[in-house]
């Protein structure tokens, strides 16, 4: 399937050139984490707590304008800490008051009645931040998405492109009843599981069982169990010589993604999406999901049977389906020019960047290749190593304040990352 007069592939590549984070985007976010760490250290009720990022920043699935998710981890010796919802609300209230006194944050908002209480604010760099308490499960889910991306780098490209497309069509806003960014990533992941030939396996083959249920006891041991299990299974999948390699171009994957979910509103009435099993599941026969109380069911593969798309409303599901169908129809239409493609795929402020980026890259099969991107983009492994080193430095600094539990060294973690590089890098 092709469209846009052959312009879609180079247009998608040029969009990636623009939305990929620069080194300064990483530095800005590290500085925000450091500043928040100083704030947390100044709060008596949070003495001994650590500040750790998660979400798209850690999974390396964020764009230049992506949000930053941060977890404040409470001190509990070497064991995984737990805190009740009311206690979390109280602690986030302390953080809110301290940030107000400090100044420099905009749009401070406390959402205490959410399933997971969250403090939201915007920095001077226009980066939206969400702070939660003891969100270890969020941190581990983020790492798992990063490791899965190491199977095939096209996953990251697709997630970034689909997120931008979703924002362009106003269907990436859970507050208004559309998709959150995590469920969008799961949709792309599910697409990679169900395309032919499949690019990803069912996630039960990567991590069998329920990740969140396994995060108990000594933190270092729980994390080690998860990481080693994933390492073994990812390496087994990648080294399977009988596996047929999918060599679809980015544009082919994008088009088939739109086609697969263009009737999602009709399909969602009877079926749910399960990245854990890697297939559509009939809701009426799935005992984990009954009773059906959602417009759209995208099962969180790391926390079954939680619905990652629980905020989607019936009315907005129709809009989501229309966005898929409308975009698909436009892209398969003949003789479209790049301006029409761009206005369909990105928001206006990004299209202004693209106007300065001429179409210069085209291929019939882009598997394992990249356009000449003129940006200082850090390889994913190096970024994760930088994150781990920074986390280690933060914990080492906190040693001056209190004893901290031992964690596995960043070296061990980065060695595991290097062993999972995509084939195109080895």
């Amino acid at each position: 399937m092709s469209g846009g007069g052959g312009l879609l592939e180079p247009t998608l590549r040029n969009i990636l050139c623009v939305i990929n984070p620069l080194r300064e985007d990483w530095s800005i976010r590290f500085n925000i984490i450091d500043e928040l760490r100083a704030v947390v250290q100044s709060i008596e009720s949070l003495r001994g707590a650590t500040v750790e990022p998660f979400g798209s920043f850690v999974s390396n699935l964020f764009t230049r304008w992506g949000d930053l998710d941060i977890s404040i981890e409470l001190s509990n010796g070497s064991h995984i800490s737990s805190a009740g919802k009311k206690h979390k609300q109280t602690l986030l209230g302390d953080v809110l008051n301290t940030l107000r006194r400090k100044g420099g944050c905009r749009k401070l908002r406390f959402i205490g009645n959410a399933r997971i209480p969250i403090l939201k604010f915007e920095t001077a760099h226009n980066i939206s931040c969400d702070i939660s308490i003891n969100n270890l499960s969020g941190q581990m889910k983020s790492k798992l998405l990063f490791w899965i991306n190491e199977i095939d780098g096209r996953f990251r490209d697709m997630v970034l492109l689909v997120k931008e497309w979703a924002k362009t069509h106003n269907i990436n806003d859970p507050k208004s009843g559309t998709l959150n960014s995590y469920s969008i990533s799961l949709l792309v992941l599910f697409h990679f599981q169900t395309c032919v030939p499949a690019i990803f396996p069912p996630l039960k083959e990567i991590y069998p069982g329920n990740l969140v249920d396994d995060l108990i006891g000594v933190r270092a041991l729980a994390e080690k169990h998860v990481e080693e299990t994933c390492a073994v299974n990812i390496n087994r999948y990648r080294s399977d010589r009988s596996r047929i390699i999918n060599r679809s171009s980015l544009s082919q994957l994008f088009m088939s993604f739109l086609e697969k979910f263009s009737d999602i509103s009709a399909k969602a009435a009877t079926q749910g999406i399960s990245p854990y099993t890697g297939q559509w599941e009939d809701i009426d026969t799935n005992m984990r999901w009954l009773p059906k109380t959602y417009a759209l069911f995208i099962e969180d593969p790391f926390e079954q049977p939680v619905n990652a798309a629980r905020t989607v409303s019936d009315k907005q599901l129709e809009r989501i389906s229309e966005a898929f169908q409308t975009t698909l129809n436009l892209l398969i239409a003949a003789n479209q020019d790049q301006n029409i493609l761009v206005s369909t795929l990105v928001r206006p402020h990004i299209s202004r960047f693209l106007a300065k980026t001429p179409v210069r890259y085209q291929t019939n099969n882009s598997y394992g290749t990249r356009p000449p991107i003129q940006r200082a983009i850090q390889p994913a492994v190096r970024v994760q190593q930088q994150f781990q080193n920074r986390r280690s430095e933060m914990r080492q600094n906190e040693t001056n304040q209190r004893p901290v539990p031992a964690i596995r060294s960043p070296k061990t973690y980065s060695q595991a990352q290097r062993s999972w590089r995509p084939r195109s890098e080895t």
Side-chain angles (χ1 to χ4, degrees):
M1 182 183 293
S2 61
L7 288 174
L8 182 57
E9 183 74 25
T11 300
L12 293 176
R13 294 296 181 181
N14 286 339
I15 292 171
L16 284 172
C17 287
V18 171
I19 65 179
N20 259 306
L22 311 180
R23 290 183 188 275
E24 65 190 60
D25 298 311
W26 288 96
S27 297
I28 288 170
R29 285 163 176 77
F30 278 127
N31 288 337
I32 293 171
I33 295 167
D34 286 343
E35 290 173 4
L36 184 60
R37 173 176 168 268
V39 168
V40 168
Q41 284 185 335
S42 72
I43 301 174
E44 181 63 29
S45 61
L46 289 171
R47 183 180 296 276
T50 60
V51 173
E52 303 186 28
F54 66 101
S56 60
F57 179 64
V58 171
S59 61
N60 196 26
L61 297 175
F62 78 103
T63 67
R64 293 192 62 192
W65 298 273
D67 299 345
L68 180 60
D69 296 302
I70 296 171
S71 174
I72 298 176
E73 294 293 316
L74 306 181
S75 173
N76 190 31
S78 63
H79 285 71
I80 294 172
S81 180
S82 61
K85 185 172 182 178
K86 190 171 184 62
H87 186 41
K88 292 180 180 180
Q89 291 170 335
T90 300
L91 295 175
L92 288 176
D94 293 341
V95 177
L96 172 64
N97 294 331
T98 305
L99 288 175
R100 279 177 176 163
R101 290 194 299 269
K102 177 178 178 291
C105 296
R106 302 191 298 262
K107 300 180 181 179
L108 272 162
R109 190 157 58 98
F110 179 38
I111 307 176
N113 293 325
R115 188 175 76 103
I116 299 176
I118 293 175
L119 175 61
K120 303 175 75 73
F121 66 93
E122 194 173 281
T123 71
H125 295 94
N126 298 319
I127 297 174
S128 296
C129 298
D130 289 359
I131 303 176
S132 53
I133 303 288
N134 280 356
N135 205 333
L136 178 59
S137 63
Q139 295 175 52
M140 295 308 296
K141 290 177 187 180
S142 305
K143 290 180 181 180
L144 271 156
L145 287 177
F146 173 78
W147 299 331
I148 290 166
N149 177 60
E150 292 295 278
I151 295 175
D152 194 299
R154 289 173 295 178
F155 175 63
R156 179 179 182 274
D157 291 343
M158 276 288 291
V159 169
L160 266 57
L161 290 167
V162 171
K163 280 184 180 179
E164 177 54 37
W165 165 79
K167 290 181 185 299
T168 302
H169 292 265
N170 298 312
I171 59 171
N172 181 202
D173 182 12
K175 295 189 296 293
S176 66
T178 57
L179 297 162
N180 58 41
S181 294
Y182 183 52
S183 61
I184 288 175
S185 297
L186 292 180
L187 279 180
V188 176
L189 192 153
F190 185 74
H191 177 50
F192 275 44
Q193 293 172 323
T194 52
C195 59
V196 181
I199 301 174
F200 288 163
L203 290 193
K204 65 181 181 180
E205 295 182 13
I206 302 298
Y207 191 82
N210 193 313
L211 168 71
V212 174
D213 289 345
D214 294 338
L215 295 178
I216 57 174
V218 178
R219 174 170 176 171
L221 295 179
E223 288 185 341
K224 182 179 181 181
H225 167 72
V226 172
E227 294 185 14
E228 290 182 347
T229 300
C230 292
V232 169
N233 291 327
I234 287 174
N235 281 326
R236 178 186 296 120
Y237 179 75
R238 291 182 63 245
S239 61
D240 181 6
R241 296 188 177 183
S242 66
R243 180 168 62 96
I244 302 174
I245 303 299
N246 183 310
R247 301 186 181 278
S248 298
S249 67
L250 200 56
S251 56
Q252 289 169 336
L253 288 171
F254 193 83
M255 293 288 284
S256 56
F257 174 81
L258 295 173
E259 184 177 28
K260 181 172 295 179
F261 298 113
S262 60
D263 63 343
I264 193 170
S265 61
K267 213 162 188 176
T270 58
Q271 291 187 304
I273 293 167
S274 175
Y276 183 71
T277 63
Q279 59 188 13
W280 294 89
E281 298 272 359
D282 291 333
I283 294 172
D284 290 344
T285 59
N286 190 320
M287 299 309 296
R288 299 196 311 273
W289 296 353
L290 291 174
K292 179 183 181 295
T293 56
Y294 301 104
L296 174 65
F297 209 111
I298 304 175
E299 185 176 49
D300 188 332
F302 312 121
E303 192 175 0
Q304 320 111 42
V306 170
N307 181 13
R310 57 188 171 275
T311 59
V312 175
S313 66
D314 289 303
K315 180 179 179 180
Q316 296 298 343
L317 181 57
E318 291 293 334
R319 283 191 59 246
I320 292 169
S321 192
E322 288 173 7
F324 277 98
Q325 187 63 59
T326 300
T327 305
L328 178 65
N329 291 340
L330 187 144
L331 295 186
I332 62 178
N335 302 319
Q336 296 290 357
D337 62 28
Q338 190 190 24
N339 291 333
I340 296 178
L341 290 178
V342 168
S343 64
T344 305
L345 299 173
V346 302
R347 291 166 289 174
H349 73 275
I350 293 178
S351 65
R352 289 194 291 271
F353 284 98
L354 282 168
K356 305 173 185 177
T357 309
V359 175
R360 63 181 184 275
Y361 176 80
Q362 193 165 1
T363 181
N364 293 326
N365 188 341
S366 64
Y367 177 77
T369 64
R370 291 290 184 272
I373 298 177
Q374 303 299 319
R375 293 192 178 278
I377 301 170
Q378 300 183 65
V381 172
R382 204 165 0 130
V383 165
Q384 282 292 318
Q385 189 171 6
Q386 181 180 357
F387 160 65
Q388 290 295 321
N389 288 340
R390 179 64 65 94
R391 174 178 166 183
S392 179
E393 290 171 6
M394 291 163 61
R395 288 182 177 272
Q396 186 62 42
N397 289 337
E398 286 163 356
T399 304
N400 298 329
Q401 306 293 327
R402 66 172 180 89
V404 296
I407 61 172
R408 264 177 331 105
S409 70
K411 180 179 180 182
T412 303
Y413 183 90
S414 60
Q415 284 175 338
Q417 302 289 357
R418 285 195 294 273
S419 70
W420 301 343
R421 285 183 179 176
R423 290 177 179 175
S424 59
E425 294 182 20
T426 57

